[in-house]
Amino acid sequence: MKYSTFLIKYAEIAIKGKNRYVFEDALMHRMKLALGHVEGDFAISKTQGRMFVDCNSDYDFDEVIAALGRVFGINTICPVVKTEKVDFEKLCADVVAYVKEEYPEQKGTFKVFARRADKSFPVHSTEMNCELGAAILDAYPQMKVDVHKPEIELNVEVREDVYIYSRQIPGPGGMPVGTGGKALLLLSGGIDSPVAGYMIAKRGVKIDAVYFHAPPYTSERAKQKVIDLARLVAKYTGTICLHVINFTDIQLAIYEKCPHDELTIIMRRYMMRIAEHIAKENDCLGLITGESIGQVASQTMQSLAVTNEVCTLPVFRPLIGFDKQEIIEISEKINTFETSILPYEDCCTIFVAKHPVTKPKLEVIQKSERKLSDCIDELVASALETDEVINVI
Ligand code: ATP
Ligand code: MG
């Protein structure tokens, strides 16, 4: 079947009242960017709560569906056959021809949903439903009408042209990226943080990212893995501005001066402090992490409270109530899993204590951090100077 057009349905953004055009424009922009990676000539337009992608050249169907399937804000993608609006007789013939091509066996139950957006068309929608249904039954007597649970929902929309479609491919839902401000994702090479970034971006938030690496304790390959993950997430979020911060000296100082069972928690507090600094400099309204309650020692309720204490920006933890298996399922769906499980070490695993505290007390941690007071401001300032910015597309 050759589809000339894709009809794009969007649900949630349709209810945004006066701001609706902001959401629609953002969605069109995101669709344009996504289709920019697909070979072919595509024109995007909108009318009356509907968006259309017209294909003005040859294109690969699966590639278009995959690209649009990653644009947040799209609820349904309908491959459409567009025909010229002449008269009702021609419309009947077109619909019958559509059924023949789309359903070569011409079997099963169906229902016609006709819509008359162009009120000057002389046949009303209820009449169209009956007449088109009759024409199909005439042409294909083995098909049956079922108005309650049809196997085939045959949509016929009369606008400036006639649009015929029956396939409805689910989109990712959510809101168009950029309509919800920007946040900074703490992106490690693990399974969780790429999923966390995906989930917040799905709500319309643009994503910047920061990765703390600790050469020579972490390798170039570990850094490349994070860049690769950012690239996979960027397929959904659009370009990600990734900050790579050299964290080695801070880690060594903590390792040297603080109790080893508190290493992870103190290190996490410095990551959050630096991330917050970068976020504020780059107009990010919050931080995002891949933390989930109880997953590891640094993610108990007590540890999360102590980590959170250094932040003034909101910290978004979209995976907080998720089991690992649920997170893995999303990472498989968004294609980050295989990259995440590559074995390159990240800086947390090298400086990790055998028995980290699981119920840290804020005063105790603050007291340990005071042991860093003679050097830490300078180390944080130097770490910020190492900021390497990579635009990941
Ligand atoms: P992930 O799978 O995302 O690495 P994790 O289960 O390994 O998470 P931790 O290592 O405790 O958990 O990290 C918790 C969160 O802190 C991560 O989800 C991520 O947001 C952030 N984080 C950890 N290490 C780094 C790092 N090296 N650079 C940037 N962010 C990090
Ligand atoms: Mg990790």
Side-chain angles (χ1 to χ4, degrees):
M1 190 79 168
K2 187 134 181 56
Y3 305 100
S4 46
T5 301
F6 293 89
L7 163 64
I8 306 299
K9 294 184 182 173
Y10 45 98
E12 198 165 342
I13 67 171
I15 59 167
K16 292 287 166 190
K18 279 190 197 148
N19 286 331
R20 180 174 160 154
Y21 73 95
V22 176
F23 288 81
E24 289 176 338
D25 289 353
L27 180 56
M28 286 175 78
H29 176 62
R30 289 289 152 192
M31 282 163 55
K32 198 173 281 176
L33 291 178
L35 290 171
H37 298 285
V38 180
E39 209 166 306
D41 179 12
F42 306 100
I44 302 168
S45 58
K46 67 169 176 182
T47 47
Q48 305 168 333
R50 291 264 196 271
M51 267 176 208
F52 295 99
V53 176
D54 283 306
C55 311
N56 300 324
S57 66
D58 272 350
Y59 66 92
D60 184 288
F61 180 83
D62 293 337
E63 274 184 36
V64 170
I65 295 295
L68 294 175
R70 289 190 293 259
V71 177
F72 296 133
I74 294 181
N75 238 33
T76 316
I77 307 161
C78 311
V80 165
V81 169
K82 186 160 102 175
T83 67
E84 222 180 310
K85 182 178 60 186
V86 179
D87 53 26
F88 190 60
E89 215 166 294
K90 159 114 174 25
L91 194 149
C92 280
D94 288 342
V95 170
V96 168
Y98 172 90
V99 173
K100 184 174 181 184
E101 247 204 87
E102 184 76 70
Y103 303 99
E105 297 189 349
Q106 289 118 36
K107 274 206 298 226
T109 59
F110 75 98
K111 177 181 179 180
V112 178
F113 289 86
R115 245 168 256 118
R116 193 175 59 122
D118 170 9
K119 298 293 178 211
S120 71
F121 194 70
V123 188
H124 288 231
S125 52
T126 27
E127 209 181 328
M128 271 199 272
N129 286 338
C130 296
E131 297 288 325
L132 290 171
I136 293 167
L137 290 173
D138 256 2
Y140 314 118
Q142 60 284 32
M143 292 184 78
K144 277 199 186 70
V145 173
D146 180 347
V147 290
H148 302 294
K149 279 195 177 155
E151 286 158 352
I152 303 167
E153 288 187 10
L154 195 63
N155 292 273
V156 179
E157 298 194 8
V158 180
R159 300 171 175 271
E160 306 91 79
D161 297 291
V162 174
Y163 296 87
I164 309 168
Y165 63 94
S166 55
R167 285 178 69 183
Q168 307 219 27
I169 301 164
M175 314 277 263
V177 168
T179 55
K182 189 163 71 162
L184 182 69
L185 168 67
L186 283 86
L187 181 62
S188 70
I191 294 169
D192 306 328
S193 44
V195 173
Y198 162 87
M199 288 183 67
I200 296 294
K202 186 166 182 243
R203 298 306 303 160
V205 177
K206 191 167 166 19
I207 303 288
D208 281 357
V210 58
Y211 167 59
F212 296 95
H213 78 147
Y217 303 99
T218 60
S219 64
E220 271 304 301
R221 287 206 298 182
K223 174 178 156 189
Q224 188 56 46
K225 176 179 164 184
V226 172
I227 297 171
D228 293 344
L229 284 170
R231 190 167 293 122
L232 292 169
V233 177
K235 282 181 185 267
Y236 294 87
T237 62
T239 306
I240 292 178
C241 176
L242 171 67
H243 300 260
V244 180
I245 298 284
N246 186 324
F247 201 59
T248 311
D249 291 342
I250 294 178
Q251 262 186 319
L252 288 173
I254 299 170
Y255 191 72
E256 192 186 312
K257 299 190 173 176
C258 302
H260 283 191
D261 59 348
E262 296 169 8
L263 285 181
T264 308
I265 197 86
I266 294 174
M267 190 182 75
R268 304 229 6 95
R269 279 163 60 91
Y270 279 100
M271 278 189 189
M272 297 301 261
R273 287 179 173 111
I274 292 173
E276 177 155 299
H277 184 95
I278 296 170
K280 286 181 174 165
E281 295 238 303
N282 292 280
D283 302 319
C284 294
L285 301 171
L287 303 177
I288 306 165
T289 75
E291 289 159 314
S292 150
I293 295 173
Q295 207 187 72
V296 286
S298 60
Q299 296 175 27
T300 61
M301 288 291 276
Q302 293 83 350
S303 298
L304 288 167
V306 171
T307 306
N308 207 69
E309 193 265 343
V310 299
C311 299
T312 58
L313 285 177
V315 181
F316 301 112
R317 300 177 171 92
L319 308 181
I320 200 71
F322 279 43
D323 295 345
K324 195 74 188 185
Q325 192 51 39
E326 293 170 310
I327 301 169
I328 288 174
E329 277 163 26
I330 302 175
S331 77
E332 283 173 335
K333 185 178 86 179
I334 65 171
N335 199 29
T336 52
F337 183 71
E338 293 298 327
T339 305
S340 289
I341 58 172
L342 293 173
Y344 316 126
E345 73 292 355
D346 77 26
C347 59
C348 310
T349 51
I350 290 194
F351 292 94
V352 75
K354 273 209 186 74
H355 301 289
V357 280
T358 53
K359 292 181 184 165
K361 290 219 162 32
L362 181 60
E363 314 76 64
V364 176
I365 298 297
Q366 283 169 331
K367 190 166 163 224
S368 301
E369 280 181 358
R370 282 198 282 277
K371 298 187 176 136
L372 299 163
S373 58
D374 59 335
C375 63
I376 196 68
D377 289 348
E378 214 173 298
L379 289 176
V380 168
S382 319
L384 282 166
E385 270 169 34
T386 67
D387 188 357
E388 179 193 357
V389 179
I390 306 171
N391 278 308
V392 183
I393 301 171

